[in-house]
Amino acid sequence: MSPHTGKILSVCLSSRTWDIICPDDSVYETYLGGRGLCGWLLSKYFYNDPIIFCTGPLTGSGYQTTARCAVMHKDTMTGGLFRSDFGGKFATSLKKAGYDGLLIKGKSSDAVHLVIGETVSFEEKAPEGFSIVKAGANRDILYCGIIADGFFKTHRGSTGTLMHSMNLLSVSVKTADEPEAPHTGAYEDIERLINASPSLTGRLGIGRFGTAALYDLAHARDLLPSGFFGLPKPDAKHNAGAFGETESVSCGSCTIACRKKKNGLRIPEYDEMAMLLSIGVPFEKITEIYNHCLNEGIDIITACHCIAESGTKIPAAELLKNLPKEFGQGISKLSVKGVPLPSFAPQGAQGTALGYATSPNGADWTTAMAITHEILRKPVPTDRHTAMGKAVINVAYENAKAAADSLPVCRYALFSVSLEEFAKTLDTTAARLSECGNTIFMNETELIRRMGFTPADDRLPEGLLTPQQQAEFDAELKKYHRIRGIL
């Protein structure tokens, strides 16, 4: 499959019409695809308030971890930038249908299912046998997400809320199978690095236990969210291994297969597992609660913040099964740019804390990926207790991650595989990809300026850090802004 089709499908729900956007080659050379292409489209069509889905140059190539679809839009909860990605067959199917991306704008007069097959149609019912992205069922919250192919979700977000506001129930694309693995040296290099990584395919890695394998590391280092909620630390025995034998599910061509299920239910990922246990949901109930929230579209991290900060005496499991409307706004005092903190407590990982503050889309550990060197200790360990020196490291990681998201490559592959290996698949260099990553990241920074956020919003909630940590953090944040040229 060619790296690009050169076409973006643009759909207007208001008029139920569609046309084609054809970006210049220079757009692909600069923004690559995926996250970068989403950002370029959002900048160009900013005032149309669209939802944008994009594939990348490696989509449909058969390379490991590349079956990801990027999504971006203005966040209905925060008024800021939302970006994420998800697995399944949607990205490969969209590319096979002839499109690098899908831009949806307007509002349908009636609830509708958008269907992309031999042509584009607006249906009362979603078709069978198609890859589908559905809005979560809960219309009463501002942080309703999506579910793809009945199993895969975005990392946080309000895409489902925005779809409901457009009267868009789902988007379906005629399903395309993943191609066979390419017989190239680059593929073998990537596979060798994945197989050599304890974090990915080792005895205690996420290939065996899912991303919940990170729970033990976070627990041992006092990084669980119970720390910033001021709640008792959960029992260490309730780790990934406590789920017992599970079945692996992969995103297309991925050979890590970090998604797990058991008895037909999806096993919680680290972020959700850590949050649920930290606010007192019993271990034996977290799988049930997780799957309920998955179908409802409830961002568990945001909902857990609302519950923990409310001081309610009602059991959290009971509240999550029937979430009260007063928790639907997603307002939390422990947030960055309106986005509640994720499941690594910033007090014990200062590079991660800096990444929370500077991420264009609010508190998000996946933007700077500082857990790779602070917690997993790869490629070299850094001192997680200080912010000093982290500005330079974070900028490098942010650029690399922005490029990887635009290829697209799964974040977990970056635990062991660098841009150098993925650059070989496109006959380019890691330095060139990092250059693109910098442009992609700075475009997102410009987008949040247009949304009303300033450099003053690059800050953590007050009172989380000790005075010494805060002084080091403030000094490093100034250094970060100088490196980025942010005034």
Side-chain angles (χ1 to χ4, degrees):
M1 187 177 287
S2 172
H4 301 292
T5 69
K7 297 190 296 183
I8 309 295
L9 177 63
S10 177
V11 176
C12 179
L13 295 174
S14 301
S15 60
R16 297 203 175 185
T17 58
W18 57 278
D19 58 13
I20 302 297
I21 300 167
C22 297
D24 294 338
D25 288 345
S26 60
V27 173
Y28 291 106
E29 290 169 4
T30 303
Y31 294 95
L32 301 174
R35 170 181 165 184
L37 188 56
C38 279
W40 178 80
L41 286 165
L42 185 56
S43 181
K44 187 175 178 65
Y45 297 94
F46 186 81
Y47 296 105
N48 293 115
D49 292 332
I51 299 176
I52 304 166
F53 299 93
C54 282
T55 69
L58 292 183
T59 303
S61 66
Y63 279 100
Q64 305 92 323
T65 82
T66 58
R68 311 290 299 173
C69 187
V71 57
M72 186 179 289
H73 53 80
K74 296 178 189 176
D75 196 312
T76 58
M77 185 179 80
T78 68
L81 179 70
F82 172 74
R83 64 158 180 80
S84 188
D85 57 68
F86 56 91
K89 294 188 174 184
F90 189 84
T92 301
S93 301
L94 186 61
K95 186 94 168 271
K96 188 72 172 179
Y99 306 110
D100 291 322
L102 169 64
L103 183 148
I104 307 170
K105 61 187 178 182
K107 180 178 180 178
S108 173
S109 56
D110 302 301
V112 69
H113 298 269
L114 176 62
V115 180
I116 303 167
E118 301 302 323
T119 185
V120 177
S121 61
F122 305 87
E123 308 291 345
E124 294 181 359
K125 184 179 179 181
E128 299 288 337
F130 278 47
S131 178
I132 184 169
V133 171
K134 296 171 63 176
N138 194 320
R139 295 170 174 266
D140 297 326
I141 57 176
L142 292 181
Y143 48 91
C144 178
I146 55 176
I147 181 168
D149 297 335
F151 194 83
F152 302 93
K153 66 177 183 63
T154 51
H155 183 70
R156 316 293 296 273
S158 61
T159 311
T161 303
L162 185 52
M163 287 176 67
H164 284 306
S165 74
M166 294 174 151
N167 271 336
L168 178 62
L169 300 180
S170 73
V171 181
S172 298
V173 186
K174 188 175 181 180
T175 302
D177 292 328
E178 280 290 322
E180 293 184 2
H183 299 289
T184 66
Y187 183 93
E188 292 175 0
D189 285 348
I190 294 168
E191 191 67 8
R192 189 178 298 115
L193 289 168
I194 288 173
N195 289 335
S197 169
S199 301
L200 297 181
T201 56
R203 185 173 61 88
L204 300 175
I206 67 175
R208 179 179 179 187
F209 290 110
T211 64
L214 297 171
Y215 183 85
D216 277 339
L217 293 172
H219 191 283
R221 290 160 176 74
D222 291 327
L223 294 174
L224 295 180
S226 53
F228 54 69
F229 287 142
L231 296 172
K233 187 176 178 180
D235 196 320
K237 70 180 181 181
H238 294 147
N239 57 17
F243 290 110
E245 292 298 319
T246 60
E247 180 183 347
S248 296
V249 179
S250 66
C251 296
S253 58
C254 180
T255 56
I256 301 169
C258 69
R259 303 299 188 253
K260 306 297 175 185
K261 66 178 181 179
K262 184 175 183 178
N263 299 326
L265 295 177
R266 184 168 165 179
I267 297 298
E269 295 187 55
Y270 165 74
D271 278 289
E272 290 80 9
M273 176 183 179
M275 275 287 171
L276 291 171
L277 291 175
S278 290
I279 68 166
V281 176
F283 179 82
E284 59 272 15
K285 291 186 177 182
I286 64 171
T287 299
E288 175 194 352
I289 296 297
Y290 177 76
N291 282 269
H292 168 76
C293 291
L294 188 68
N295 293 326
E296 289 286 302
I298 297 171
D299 171 18
I300 288 176
I301 297 172
T302 298
C304 286
H305 270 267
C306 294
I307 292 170
E309 294 177 36
S310 72
T312 179
K313 300 300 182 183
I314 302 173
E318 183 179 327
L319 288 170
L320 286 164
K321 279 187 178 180
N322 189 20
L323 195 66
K325 285 188 177 181
E326 60 262 33
F327 294 150
Q329 302 300 305
I331 298 171
S332 168
K333 63 182 179 182
L334 297 171
S335 63
V336 176
K337 302 181 182 75
V339 179
L341 296 177
S343 298
F344 291 106
Q347 300 96 315
Q350 296 295 289
T352 300
L354 183 63
Y356 288 169
T358 59
S359 174
N361 54 304
D364 181 3
W365 67 263
T366 73
T367 300
M369 296 290 288
I371 71 162
T372 55
H373 52 86
E374 289 189 321
I375 299 173
L376 299 177
R377 325 297 280 162
K378 302 292 182 181
V380 293
T382 61
D383 183 358
R384 64 186 175 89
H385 297 291
T386 180
M388 303 304 290
K390 299 295 173 61
V392 172
I393 298 172
N394 276 19
V395 167
Y397 268 84
E398 285 169 350
N399 291 347
K401 179 60 166 44
D405 286 343
S406 303
L407 295 177
V409 173
C410 175
R411 68 182 70 93
Y412 298 113
L414 300 182
F415 285 174
S416 68
V417 186
S418 72
L419 282 186
E420 180 179 348
E421 285 71 42
F422 288 108
K424 293 176 184 175
T425 68
L426 296 170
D427 195 27
T428 187
T429 65
R432 174 59 188 146
L433 290 181
S434 288
E435 229 175 82
C436 293
N438 180 67
T439 301
I440 291 163
F441 187 92
M442 294 310 295
N443 179 58
E444 292 173 357
T445 300
E446 176 58 29
L447 280 169
I448 64 171
R449 297 292 175 264
R450 294 170 70 179
M451 294 170 182
F453 292 88
T454 72
D457 294 304
D458 290 352
R459 63 178 188 272
L460 289 177
E462 293 184 6
L464 284 179
L465 306 181
T466 66
Q468 180 179 344
Q469 285 178 327
Q470 190 66 58
E472 292 178 351
F473 178 91
D474 290 343
E476 206 64 13
L477 180 60
K478 289 181 181 178
K479 183 177 179 182
Y480 175 93
H481 282 160
R482 285 199 301 271
I483 296 170
R484 284 288 188 198
I486 295 173
L487 303 177

